[in-house]
Amino acid sequence: MQTVLTDPTDAAPGPAAHSRFFQRLHRRYGPQLALLPAGAPVRATMEQALAALLASGNSTATALRTLRQLVMERLMRLDCETRAPLEVVTRAMTELAELALDRACQQARQELDERHGTPCGPDGQPVQFWIIGMGKLGARELNVSSDIDLIYVYEHDGDTAGTADGRGRISNHEYFGRAVKIIYSLIGDTTEHGLVFRVDLALRPHGNSGPPAVSLAALEEYLQIQGREWERFAWLKSRVVAPFDCIASPQVQALRAVVLPFVFRRYLDYNVFDALRALHRQIRDHAARRSAGHPERANDVKLSRGGIRELEFTVQLLQVVRGGQFPELRRRPTLQALERLVQAGLMPAPTAEALAQAYLFLRQVEHRIQYLDDQQTHVLPTRDDDLAWIAQTMGHADCCSFLHALDAHRELVAQEFDTLLGGNDKKQCNGGGCGGPNANAAPPPELEALLEQLPEPLRERVGEWRTHARVGALREEARTRLFRLVQRTAQWLREGRASATATVRLVDWLESLLRRESYLALLLERPAVHEQLLHLLGAARWPARYLLQHPGVIDELAGSSLLQERFVAADFERDLSLRLASLRSTQEDDDEALLNLLRRAHHAETFRTLARDVGGRLTVEQVADDLSALADSVLRITAQWCWERLKNRHREQPEFAIIGYGKLGGKELGYGSDLDIVFVFDDDDERAPEVYAAFVRKLINWLTVKTGEGDLFEIDTALRPNGNSGLLVTSFKSYADYQQQRGSNTAWTWEHQAMTRARFVLGTEALRTRFDAVRAAVISAPRDAQALRGEITTMRARVLGAHPAPPGQFDIKYSEGGMVDAEFAMQYLVLSHSGTHPQLLDNVGNIALLQRAEAAGLLPAGVGQAAAAAYRELRRVQHRARLDEAPTQVMPPALQAERAAVQALWLAVFGTP
C-alpha cells in the first residue's frame, strides 16, 4: 500500500524543510519535482519520471542524477512528515539503484556492441552479464545516502564477435571491464547534478587489486580456494540486481550454485565465530581510530557499540552457522531473517521483537542524519538544532527522551551481540577487542604437559593421542581448540560436574570427528552444549553411538526449551514445508537435497526425544508416543514429496493408504525400530496398479537409502497379504477380502493377532473409515475359543524355544512371565471377546487393554491391573537396558514380582502355566 502525498510543489514547508539538503533540492530542482508521480516512489513511478527527464533532452547520466534528487526530496517528506514505514524508504532507494544499474548496463552494452560486437561463449552463444548487489542493496535495505557494493560477473570467457567488417574483436574479459567503466561513469561520477550512487567494488575477488569484472569460472575458483570466512557474510545478502532481463534467466542458477555452498556449509559451522570476531575487531578498531581526538564520532549509530552493524552481525552469524542445514534461514532482509530465527527456535520471540524495534529505530535515525546534508555519515550531529530536529521527527518531545531511547536500543543490541560472541566485558569491547570465551586464556599446553594436568582415567585415554595420526596432523588452530576442550572437561571432572565415564566417551566422540573442526569450535563456543553433551554421554551407551552417527544433532542441546517440550507433528511438518519452499526458491530441491533434509530433521527430532528421555523428562510411554508420532509425520511428508515427484502419476492426490503394524501400529516405537507397514490403494484407473507399485518402490527407497546424512527407517512389509511372496502394494478390496476370509487366499491366525495392533497411518478419510470397519470386523469375528487358545499357546512355545534365556536368568521379553506372554494373553482376549465387549476393539496399547479387560469381568479382580503395572515396569527396564546396550536378561530376585503378575495373567487366560 503506497503512502499518498499531495502535489509536492504545492505542499507547505514542513519538518523536512530543516534539512539543508532539502533546501538545496528545492532551489535547484523545484520546477521538476512534479515529474515524480505522487506517493511513495516505486519502480513504475520512477520509470515514468525518468522517461519525462529523457524526453526533455537530458542525457542518461543527467536524467538518472536528477531522478535521484526527486526521489530523495519525496522520501524526506514521507519519512519526516508522515512517518512513512522504513520499508517505503529502503524499497525506493533499492529500486532506484536497480533501475539506474539496468539503464546504465543497457547503454554500456549498446555502445560496446557497436564497437566490438557481442561477447560469445565457447559454443558461440551470447554471454550474460550480471551485476551482483551485495550488502544492503542485495537485501533491498539500501539507505538514503548509501554507496552500493557491487560485483560484476560474466558468464563465460571468450571473445566478442567483432563488427560486420571483422574489426574490433576483443576478449570478453576486456569487453566487460570496459562495461564496468561506462556504468561507473553513468552512476558514480560526480557532475553538476551530483551522482546517483557511490560505487564500491572492494568486495570483488582479490579486492581492489582484482579485475573489475570476473568470469563465473574465476569466481568459483576464487571462492573455493581463496574465499575467506568474512566474505561469506558479504555474500550472504548477494543478489543479481541488473540487468532486469537476466535476473530470472535459467543461467543465473549456475551463479547460485557457486555462491550458496560457499556461504552455507553442509554442517553446523561454528568456525565463523572467530572470523566474525576478527572482522568485528577490525571495525571497532577502525571506529576507535576515527574517533580519536573527535569524541563526537563515538556516537556512530552504525559502527559504535550496539549499532546497526552489530545487530546485523548477530542475525547473520546465526544464519551462516545454521543456514546450510536449515535453508529457511536464508533470508536477506534483516527483519525477515529475525522472524525465521524465531520460527527455527534459535532466538526467543521477545528478543527478536526487541531487536526488530531497535533495527527500525536505528535505521530511521541513520536516515535523518543523512537527510541533513546528503552525507554518507552515521554520526549524530553536534548542532543542537539538528539533534532536536532528529528527535522531533522521530516522535520525541525533546533530545533527552530521544537519546534515552537511542541508548536503550543500543544497549540491547550490544548485550545480544556480546552474549552471542561470548564477550561480556563492555570495557574490553570498547577498547576494540571483543573476544570469545577464550580471548584471554593462556595458550594450551603441549600434549605431554596436558596429560600431567588430567585425572585418571581421562589421562590414560588422552595418552593414546601420542601415536594418533589424525591428532598429530591437526592444524594448530584445531589442536588448540581440542586441547582447550580437554582442559575444560578435566576441570569439570574434578569438580564433579561430569563423570569419568562421560569424559572418556567424549574423547572417543571427539576422536572420530577430528576432520570436522566445526564441532570443536561449537563446543568451545557453547560451554552449555559441552556440559549437556557430557551428561548425555555419561547417561548411556546408545546416545553416544547415536551422536557418533549423527554429530550434527548436538546443536539441539543449545536450546533452552529442549527438555521442557514435546514433539509436535504440526510444527515439524510446517518447518519441513518452509525448508522445501526455501530450497525451491533457489532451485536446490533435487532428490538428494530432499533426502538429506528429511534425514537431518528426523535425526534432530529423535535426538531431542532422546535428550528428554535420558534427562528423565519423559516416561517410556511418552517416548514411544513421540517416536511414533515422528514416524507418522515422516511417512506423511515423504509420501507427499514422492507423489509430487512421481513421473507417471495420474492424479493430483493418490487414493492410497499406509497401514502400520507392530510397534508402529501400537505406537510403541523405540529408538532404531523398523516400521512394519502395508501399502494399499483404492483406485479404479486402469493404470493404478503400475502407478502405485512405482510409487511404493520410490517411497521405500526414500525411507531406506543411505545418504551422507544416514537413513530414516528399515521397512518391513512381510505382513502384507501373502507375506514376502505377495504384491508390494495391493488394492484395498484384495486386502479386505484376505483379512476377512473371503475367497481361497486368506489370513492366518497370527496375522489376525497382528491386526489387533494395526493402525491407519495415512491416506484418505474414506479409506480410513473402510479400514477401521475391516479391522473391527476381523478382530470381532466369531472364533472357536479352544482352537484359538491352542494356536496362541503353540506359537508362544515356538517363540520361547527360539529365544532361550541363559540358565537361571529371566529374559524380560521372552521368558515365561515376560512381555511376550502379556502381549499374547491380551491378543487372545481381544480376538475371543471383542465381539461381545467392543471396548476391546480400540488400539490403545496393552496396558489400557488389560485394565479394560479386568473392568469387563474377563479377568479376576486385580489380575489385569497387576499385569498392566508389571508390563509397564518390564517395558521401562527393557528400555533402559537397550539405552545402555546392556543385556535384557536379569538374575532373580530382580523383577520377580512383575514376572509373577504376568504369569497370573497367563494362568487366568489360558488355564495352564
Side-chain angles (χ1 to χ4, degrees), residues 305 410-420 424 426:
R305 182 175 184 273
R410 289 175 60 182
E411 184 59 29
L412 168 82
V413 172
Q415 287 180 1
E416 289 301 319
F417 181 80
D418 289 344
T419 299
L420 187 64
N424 296 309
K426 298 176 187 177

Side-chain angles (χ1 to χ4, degrees), residues 427-450:
K427 188 172 182 180
Q428 172 192 339
C429 287
N430 279 328
C434 198
N438 298 287
N440 300 315
E446 291 302 313
L447 181 57
E448 292 302 326
L450 174 65

Side-chain angles (χ1 to χ4, degrees), residues 259-398:
V259 173
L260 284 173
F262 172 68
V263 178
F264 301 108
R265 303 296 161 82
R266 178 180 171 188
Y267 298 104
L268 293 168
D269 188 10
Y270 278 76
N271 287 317
V272 297
F273 274 76
D274 281 343
L276 184 58
R277 284 195 192 98
L279 178 59
H280 181 252
R281 192 178 302 119
Q282 293 173 11
I283 292 170
R284 277 194 171 168
D285 287 347
H286 176 67
R289 286 194 298 272
R290 285 179 66 250
S291 61
H294 301 276
E296 72 280 359
R297 293 181 181 172
N299 278 321
D300 190 315
V301 298
K302 180 179 179 181
L303 300 179
S304 292
R305 182 175 184 273
I308 296 168
R309 180 59 55 82
E310 289 191 357
L311 194 156
E312 291 172 336
F313 276 174
T314 299
V315 176
Q316 291 169 17
L317 180 58
L318 292 171
Q319 287 181 283
V320 171
V321 168
R322 299 288 294 259
Q325 291 196 340
F326 302 96
E328 70 272 23
L329 299 179
R330 303 173 190 174
R331 305 300 296 177
R332 298 182 186 93
T334 301
L335 295 177
Q336 290 182 23
L338 279 168
E339 293 175 3
R340 293 298 176 89
L341 291 173
V342 172
Q343 292 174 3
L346 298 177
M347 183 178 288
T351 300
E353 176 59 26
L355 287 175
Q357 293 304 315
Y359 180 77
L360 291 170
F361 187 93
L362 292 170
R363 288 298 309 273
Q364 288 172 332
V365 172
E366 175 188 44
H367 286 166
R368 281 153 178 75
I369 292 171
Q370 295 171 348
Y371 288 147
L372 286 168
D373 295 293
D374 192 27
Q375 295 296 310
Q376 189 187 18
T377 178
H378 316 277
V379 177
L380 285 177
T382 54
R383 284 177 46 168
D384 291 344
D385 59 338
D386 287 347
L387 192 61
W389 175 76
I390 291 176
Q392 175 198 351
T393 58
M394 287 292 293
H396 288 270
D398 53 45

Side-chain angles (χ1 to χ4, degrees), residues 710-740:
D711 59 5
L712 287 170
F713 299 104
E714 291 294 325
I715 302 299
D716 189 340
T717 60
L719 286 168
R720 67 188 187 269
N722 298 307
N724 290 328
S725 62
L727 295 172
L728 195 57
V729 56
T730 59
S731 70
F732 186 81
K733 182 180 183 303
S734 297
Y735 171 82
D737 289 346
Y738 180 83
Q739 295 292 347
Q740 292 181 282

Side-chain angles (χ1 to χ4, degrees), residues 497-546:
R497 293 168 62 181
S499 68
T501 299
T503 61
V504 171
R505 287 177 181 166
L506 176 68
V507 173
D508 294 339
W509 185 79
L510 290 172
E511 205 171 81
S512 68
L513 295 168
L514 291 176
R515 291 176 182 169
R516 301 184 189 175
E517 296 177 12
S518 62
Y519 292 113
L520 302 179
L522 184 157
L523 294 177
L524 203 59
E525 294 288 347
R526 311 295 289 272
V529 174
H530 182 188
E531 189 168 13
Q532 280 268 50
L533 177 62
L534 280 167
H535 171 69
L536 208 62
L537 292 173
R541 289 186 178 89
W542 197 86
R545 186 182 304 279
Y546 193 79

Side-chain angles (χ1 to χ4, degrees), residues 623-636:
V623 170
D625 285 345
D626 286 2
L627 291 177
S628 300
L630 173 60
D632 288 359
S633 283
V634 171
L635 286 171
R636 276 193 296 272

